[in-house]
PDB file of all heavy atoms in Angstrom:
ATOM      1  N   SER A 382     107.906 116.658  79.995  1.00 96.00           N
ATOM      2  CA  SER A 382     106.520 116.828  80.434  1.00 96.00           C
ATOM      3  C   SER A 382     106.294 116.284  81.849  1.00 96.00           C
ATOM      4  O   SER A 382     105.334 116.665  82.519  1.00 96.00           O
ATOM      5  CB  SER A 382     105.557 116.126  79.460  1.00 96.00           C
ATOM      6  OG  SER A 382     105.840 114.739  79.354  1.00 96.00           O
ATOM      7  N   PHE A 383     107.153 115.409  82.338  1.00 95.00           N
ATOM      8  CA  PHE A 383     107.086 114.913  83.705  1.00 95.00           C
ATOM      9  C   PHE A 383     107.248 116.092  84.661  1.00 95.00           C
ATOM     10  O   PHE A 383     108.231 116.816  84.592  1.00 95.00           O
ATOM     11  CB  PHE A 383     108.189 113.884  83.944  1.00 95.00           C
ATOM     12  CG  PHE A 383     108.131 113.208  85.291  1.00 95.00           C
ATOM     13  CD1 PHE A 383     107.330 112.095  85.478  1.00 95.00           C
ATOM     14  CD2 PHE A 383     108.868 113.694  86.364  1.00 95.00           C
ATOM     15  CE1 PHE A 383     107.271 111.461  86.711  1.00 95.00           C
ATOM     16  CE2 PHE A 383     108.810 113.061  87.599  1.00 95.00           C
ATOM     17  CZ  PHE A 383     108.018 111.951  87.773  1.00 95.00           C
ATOM     18  N   ALA A 384     106.298 116.269  85.583  1.00 92.00           N
ATOM     19  CA  ALA A 384     106.248 117.491  86.392  1.00 92.00           C
ATOM     20  C   ALA A 384     106.334 117.227  87.888  1.00 92.00           C
ATOM     21  O   ALA A 384     105.936 118.074  88.684  1.00 92.00           O
ATOM     22  CB  ALA A 384     104.967 118.271  86.083  1.00 92.00           C
ATOM     23  N   ASN A 385     106.866 116.074  88.276  1.00 91.00           N
ATOM     24  CA  ASN A 385     106.885 115.724  89.697  1.00 91.00           C
ATOM     25  C   ASN A 385     108.271 115.488  90.271  1.00 91.00           C
ATOM     26  O   ASN A 385     108.434 114.731  91.225  1.00 91.00           O
ATOM     27  CB  ASN A 385     105.987 114.510  89.953  1.00 91.00           C
ATOM     28  CG  ASN A 385     104.586 114.911  90.323  1.00 91.00           C
ATOM     29  OD1 ASN A 385     104.346 115.369  91.438  1.00 91.00           O
ATOM     30  ND2 ASN A 385     103.670 114.779  89.383  1.00 91.00           N
ATOM     31  N   ARG A 386     109.266 116.137  89.690  1.00 92.00           N
ATOM     32  CA  ARG A 386     110.594 116.057  90.296  1.00 92.00           C
ATOM     33  C   ARG A 386     110.590 116.804  91.625  1.00 92.00           C
ATOM     34  O   ARG A 386     109.910 117.809  91.786  1.00 92.00           O
ATOM     35  CB  ARG A 386     111.640 116.688  89.380  1.00 92.00           C
ATOM     36  CG  ARG A 386     111.870 115.946  88.093  1.00 92.00           C
ATOM     37  CD  ARG A 386     112.912 116.628  87.241  1.00 92.00           C
ATOM     38  NE  ARG A 386     112.985 115.989  85.937  1.00 92.00           N
ATOM     39  CZ  ARG A 386     113.722 114.919  85.657  1.00 92.00           C
ATOM     40  NH1 ARG A 386     114.483 114.393  86.620  1.00 92.00           N
ATOM     41  NH2 ARG A 386     113.718 114.384  84.462  1.00 92.00           N
ATOM     42  N   GLY A 387     111.392 116.332  92.539  1.00 90.00           N
ATOM     43  CA  GLY A 387     111.482 116.986  93.829  1.00 90.00           C
ATOM     44  C   GLY A 387     112.258 116.136  94.804  1.00 90.00           C
ATOM     45  O   GLY A 387     112.825 115.093  94.447  1.00 90.00           O
ATOM     46  N   TRP A 388     112.256 116.571  96.059  1.00 91.00           N
ATOM     47  CA  TRP A 388     113.017 115.883  97.103  1.00 91.00           C
ATOM     48  C   TRP A 388     112.165 114.883  97.872  1.00 91.00           C
ATOM     49  O   TRP A 388     112.611 114.295  98.844  1.00 91.00           O
ATOM     50  CB  TRP A 388     113.610 116.928  98.066  1.00 91.00           C
ATOM     51  CG  TRP A 388     114.589 117.810  97.380  1.00 91.00           C
ATOM     52  CD1 TRP A 388     114.319 119.008  96.774  1.00 91.00           C
ATOM     53  CD2 TRP A 388     115.983 117.571  97.179  1.00 91.00           C
ATOM     54  NE1 TRP A 388     115.468 119.531  96.214  1.00 91.00           N
ATOM     55  CE2 TRP A 388     116.510 118.670  96.465  1.00 91.00           C
ATOM     56  CE3 TRP A 388     116.845 116.541  97.556  1.00 91.00           C
ATOM     57  CZ2 TRP A 388     117.841 118.772  96.098  1.00 91.00           C
ATOM     58  CZ3 TRP A 388     118.190 116.636  97.189  1.00 91.00           C
ATOM     59  CH2 TRP A 388     118.669 117.736  96.484  1.00 91.00           C
ATOM     60  N   HIS A 389     110.934 114.673  97.420  1.00 90.00           N
ATOM     61  CA  HIS A 389     110.032 113.749  98.085  1.00 90.00           C
ATOM     62  C   HIS A 389     110.306 112.311  97.648  1.00 90.00           C
ATOM     63  O   HIS A 389     111.017 112.065  96.667  1.00 90.00           O
ATOM     64  CB  HIS A 389     108.583 114.119  97.797  1.00 90.00           C
ATOM     65  CG  HIS A 389     108.251 114.089  96.331  1.00 90.00           C
ATOM     66  ND1 HIS A 389     108.544 115.137  95.473  1.00 90.00           N
ATOM     67  CD2 HIS A 389     107.658 113.149  95.562  1.00 90.00           C
ATOM     68  CE1 HIS A 389     108.143 114.833  94.253  1.00 90.00           C
ATOM     69  NE2 HIS A 389     107.594 113.617  94.288  1.00 90.00           N
ATOM     70  N   MET A 390     109.704 111.374  98.354  1.00 92.00           N
ATOM     71  CA  MET A 390     109.775 109.944  98.042  1.00 92.00           C
ATOM     72  C   MET A 390     108.384 109.468  97.613  1.00 92.00           C
ATOM     73  O   MET A 390     107.368 110.094  97.949  1.00 92.00           O
ATOM     74  CB  MET A 390     110.218 109.142  99.268  1.00 92.00           C
ATOM     75  CG  MET A 390     111.445 109.658  99.971  1.00 92.00           C
ATOM     76  SD  MET A 390     112.972 109.233  99.118  1.00 92.00           S
ATOM     77  CE  MET A 390     114.183 109.830 100.320  1.00 92.00           C
ATOM     78  N   ASN A 391     108.347 108.354  96.926  1.00 94.00           N
ATOM     79  CA  ASN A 391     107.075 107.774  96.517  1.00 94.00           C
ATOM     80  C   ASN A 391     106.653 106.642  97.458  1.00 94.00           C
ATOM     81  O   ASN A 391     107.486 105.966  98.059  1.00 94.00           O
ATOM     82  CB  ASN A 391     107.170 107.206  95.098  1.00 94.00           C
ATOM     83  CG  ASN A 391     107.383 108.287  94.067  1.00 94.00           C
ATOM     84  OD1 ASN A 391     106.695 109.305  94.066  1.00 94.00           O
ATOM     85  ND2 ASN A 391     108.355 108.078  93.179  1.00 94.00           N
ATOM     86  N   ALA A 392     105.357 106.464  97.532  1.00 95.00           N
ATOM     87  CA  ALA A 392     104.793 105.315  98.243  1.00 95.00           C
ATOM     88  C   ALA A 392     103.702 104.706  97.352  1.00 95.00           C
ATOM     89  O   ALA A 392     103.126 105.386  96.499  1.00 95.00           O
ATOM     90  CB  ALA A 392     104.205 105.717  99.592  1.00 95.00           C
ATOM     91  N   SER A 393     103.458 103.432  97.555  1.00 95.00           N
ATOM     92  CA  SER A 393     102.439 102.739  96.766  1.00 95.00           C
ATOM     93  C   SER A 393     101.567 101.903  97.690  1.00 95.00           C
ATOM     94  O   SER A 393     102.068 101.066  98.441  1.00 95.00           O
ATOM     95  CB  SER A 393     103.093 101.841  95.709  1.00 95.00           C
ATOM     96  OG  SER A 393     102.132 101.113  94.991  1.00 95.00           O
ATOM     97  N   ILE A 394     100.273 102.183  97.634  1.00 96.00           N
ATOM     98  CA  ILE A 394      99.312 101.383  98.401  1.00 96.00           C
ATOM     99  C   ILE A 394      98.693 100.387  97.439  1.00 96.00           C
ATOM    100  O   ILE A 394      98.111 100.779  96.429  1.00 96.00           O
ATOM    101  CB  ILE A 394      98.222 102.265  99.049  1.00 96.00           C
ATOM    102  CG1 ILE A 394      98.864 103.263 100.014  1.00 96.00           C
ATOM    103  CG2 ILE A 394      97.208 101.420  99.781  1.00 96.00           C
ATOM    104  CD1 ILE A 394      99.163 104.615  99.417  1.00 96.00           C
ATOM    105  N   GLN A 395      98.830  99.102  97.731  1.00 96.00           N
ATOM    106  CA  GLN A 395      98.431  98.071  96.794  1.00 96.00           C
ATOM    107  C   GLN A 395      97.463  97.061  97.424  1.00 96.00           C
ATOM    108  O   GLN A 395      97.882  96.024  97.946  1.00 96.00           O
ATOM    109  CB  GLN A 395      99.659  97.332  96.265  1.00 96.00           C
ATOM    110  CG  GLN A 395     100.611  98.216  95.493  1.00 96.00           C
ATOM    111  CD  GLN A 395     101.789  97.444  94.911  1.00 96.00           C
ATOM    112  OE1 GLN A 395     101.797  96.220  94.868  1.00 96.00           O
ATOM    113  NE2 GLN A 395     102.787  98.158  94.460  1.00 96.00           N
ATOM    114  N   PRO A 396      96.173  97.354  97.411  1.00 97.00           N
ATOM    115  CA  PRO A 396      95.218  96.320  97.817  1.00 97.00           C
ATOM    116  C   PRO A 396      95.265  95.163  96.827  1.00 97.00           C
ATOM    117  O   PRO A 396      95.379  95.371  95.619  1.00 97.00           O
ATOM    118  CB  PRO A 396      93.874  97.055  97.771  1.00 97.00           C
ATOM    119  CG  PRO A 396      94.079  98.204  96.843  1.00 97.00           C
ATOM    120  CD  PRO A 396      95.519  98.603  96.983  1.00 97.00           C
ATOM    121  N   SER A 397      95.203  93.953  97.331  1.00 97.00           N
ATOM    122  CA  SER A 397      95.313  92.756  96.495  1.00 97.00           C
ATOM    123  C   SER A 397      94.359  91.707  97.030  1.00 97.00           C
ATOM    124  O   SER A 397      94.363  91.405  98.223  1.00 97.00           O
ATOM    125  CB  SER A 397      96.761  92.243  96.525  1.00 97.00           C
ATOM    126  OG  SER A 397      96.874  91.007  95.847  1.00 97.00           O
ATOM    127  N   TRP A 398      93.544  91.162  96.144  1.00 97.00           N
ATOM    128  CA  TRP A 398      92.485  90.242  96.582  1.00 97.00           C
ATOM    129  C   TRP A 398      92.149  89.284  95.437  1.00 97.00           C
ATOM    130  O   TRP A 398      92.714  89.396  94.342  1.00 97.00           O
ATOM    131  CB  TRP A 398      91.256  91.033  97.037  1.00 97.00           C
ATOM    132  CG  TRP A 398      90.590  91.864  95.964  1.00 97.00           C
ATOM    133  CD1 TRP A 398      89.418  91.576  95.322  1.00 97.00           C
ATOM    134  CD2 TRP A 398      91.032  93.119  95.406  1.00 97.00           C
ATOM    135  NE1 TRP A 398      89.103  92.562  94.408  1.00 97.00           N
ATOM    136  CE2 TRP A 398      90.087  93.522  94.441  1.00 97.00           C
ATOM    137  CE3 TRP A 398      92.156  93.935  95.613  1.00 97.00           C
ATOM    138  CZ2 TRP A 398      90.217  94.696  93.686  1.00 97.00           C
ATOM    139  CZ3 TRP A 398      92.287  95.118  94.880  1.00 97.00           C
ATOM    140  CH2 TRP A 398      91.320  95.486  93.934  1.00 97.00           C
ATOM    141  N   THR A 399      91.239  88.358  95.681  1.00 97.00           N
ATOM    142  CA  THR A 399      90.900  87.371  94.666  1.00 97.00           C
ATOM    143  C   THR A 399      89.450  87.447  94.199  1.00 97.00           C
ATOM    144  O   THR A 399      89.130  87.053  93.081  1.00 97.00           O
ATOM    145  CB  THR A 399      91.171  85.934  95.166  1.00 97.00           C
ATOM    146  OG1 THR A 399      90.327  85.669  96.293  1.00 97.00           O
ATOM    147  CG2 THR A 399      92.628  85.770  95.560  1.00 97.00           C
ATOM    148  N   LYS A 400      88.556  87.950  95.063  1.00 97.00           N
ATOM    149  CA  LYS A 400      87.131  87.940  94.753  1.00 97.00           C
ATOM    150  C   LYS A 400      86.669  89.316  94.277  1.00 97.00           C
ATOM    151  O   LYS A 400      86.885  90.324  94.955  1.00 97.00           O
ATOM    152  CB  LYS A 400      86.322  87.514  95.985  1.00 97.00           C
ATOM    153  CG  LYS A 400      86.666  86.130  96.497  1.00 97.00           C
ATOM    154  CD  LYS A 400      85.925  85.801  97.769  1.00 97.00           C
ATOM    155  CE  LYS A 400      86.322  84.423  98.314  1.00 97.00           C
ATOM    156  NZ  LYS A 400      85.645  84.125  99.600  1.00 97.00           N
ATOM    157  N   GLN A 401      85.972  89.328  93.145  1.00 96.00           N
ATOM    158  CA  GLN A 401      85.522  90.579  92.562  1.00 96.00           C
ATOM    159  C   GLN A 401      84.611  91.370  93.502  1.00 96.00           C
ATOM    160  O   GLN A 401      84.548  92.600  93.435  1.00 96.00           O
ATOM    161  CB  GLN A 401      84.798  90.294  91.244  1.00 96.00           C
ATOM    162  CG  GLN A 401      84.462  91.535  90.441  1.00 96.00           C
ATOM    163  CD  GLN A 401      83.899  91.193  89.066  1.00 96.00           C
ATOM    164  OE1 GLN A 401      83.840  90.026  88.682  1.00 96.00           O
ATOM    165  NE2 GLN A 401      83.502  92.206  88.316  1.00 96.00           N
ATOM    166  N   GLU A 402      83.951  90.694  94.395  1.00 96.00           N
ATOM    167  CA  GLU A 402      83.024  91.371  95.312  1.00 96.00           C
ATOM    168  C   GLU A 402      83.728  92.367  96.231  1.00 96.00           C
ATOM    169  O   GLU A 402      83.066  93.238  96.816  1.00 96.00           O
ATOM    170  CB  GLU A 402      82.298  90.332  96.167  1.00 96.00           C
ATOM    171  CG  GLU A 402      83.203  89.552  97.103  1.00 96.00           C
ATOM    172  CD  GLU A 402      82.503  88.374  97.756  1.00 96.00           C
ATOM    173  OE1 GLU A 402      82.441  87.302  97.107  1.00 96.00           O
ATOM    174  OE2 GLU A 402      82.043  88.527  98.902  1.00 96.00           O
ATOM    175  N   PHE A 403      85.060  92.281  96.329  1.00 96.00           N
ATOM    176  CA  PHE A 403      85.794  93.191  97.210  1.00 96.00           C
ATOM    177  C   PHE A 403      86.474  94.338  96.457  1.00 96.00           C
ATOM    178  O   PHE A 403      87.280  95.069  97.042  1.00 96.00           O
ATOM    179  CB  PHE A 403      86.845  92.423  98.009  1.00 96.00           C
ATOM    180  CG  PHE A 403      86.261  91.430  98.969  1.00 96.00           C
ATOM    181  CD1 PHE A 403      86.634  90.101  98.930  1.00 96.00           C
ATOM    182  CD2 PHE A 403      85.332  91.830  99.922  1.00 96.00           C
ATOM    183  CE1 PHE A 403      86.096  89.162  99.811  1.00 96.00           C
ATOM    184  CE2 PHE A 403      84.777  90.911 100.814  1.00 96.00           C
ATOM    185  CZ  PHE A 403      85.157  89.580 100.763  1.00 96.00           C
ATOM    186  N   ASP A 404      86.137  94.509  95.180  1.00 95.00           N
ATOM    187  CA  ASP A 404      86.768  95.569  94.380  1.00 95.00           C
ATOM    188  C   ASP A 404      86.602  96.940  95.035  1.00 95.00           C
ATOM    189  O   ASP A 404      87.557  97.707  95.158  1.00 95.00           O
ATOM    190  CB  ASP A 404      86.169  95.607  92.970  1.00 95.00           C
ATOM    191  CG  ASP A 404      86.648  94.469  92.095  1.00 95.00           C
ATOM    192  OD1 ASP A 404      87.347  93.571  92.612  1.00 95.00           O
ATOM    193  OD2 ASP A 404      86.330  94.479  90.888  1.00 95.00           O
ATOM    194  N   THR A 405      85.393  97.247  95.433  1.00 95.00           N
ATOM    195  CA  THR A 405      85.115  98.572  96.001  1.00 95.00           C
ATOM    196  C   THR A 405      85.847  98.784  97.315  1.00 95.00           C
ATOM    197  O   THR A 405      86.442  99.857  97.548  1.00 95.00           O
ATOM    198  CB  THR A 405      83.595  98.765  96.216  1.00 95.00           C
ATOM    199  OG1 THR A 405      82.932  98.639  94.947  1.00 95.00           O
ATOM    200  CG2 THR A 405      83.301 100.131  96.806  1.00 95.00           C
ATOM    201  N   GLU A 406      85.835  97.767  98.181  1.00 96.00           N
ATOM    202  CA  GLU A 406      86.505  97.902  99.479  1.00 96.00           C
ATOM    203  C   GLU A 406      88.012  98.116  99.318  1.00 96.00           C
ATOM    204  O   GLU A 406      88.621  98.912 100.037  1.00 96.00           O
ATOM    205  CB  GLU A 406      86.258  96.655 100.333  1.00 96.00           C
ATOM    206  CG  GLU A 406      84.851  96.563 100.892  1.00 96.00           C
ATOM    207  CD  GLU A 406      83.899  95.837  99.946  1.00 96.00           C
ATOM    208  OE1 GLU A 406      84.225  95.739  98.752  1.00 96.00           O
ATOM    209  OE2 GLU A 406      82.844  95.374 100.418  1.00 96.00           O
TER     210      GLU A 406
END
Side-chain angles (χ1 to χ4, degrees):
S382 59
F383 185 86
N385 267 286
R386 293 180 187 274
W388 297 91
H389 60 278
M390 310 282 186
N391 294 313
S393 177
I394 299 94
Q395 298 183 13
S397 174
W398 64 105
T399 63
K400 300 175 182 177
Q401 189 173 355
E402 64 190 84
F403 295 125
D404 285 7
T405 301
E406 287 89 341

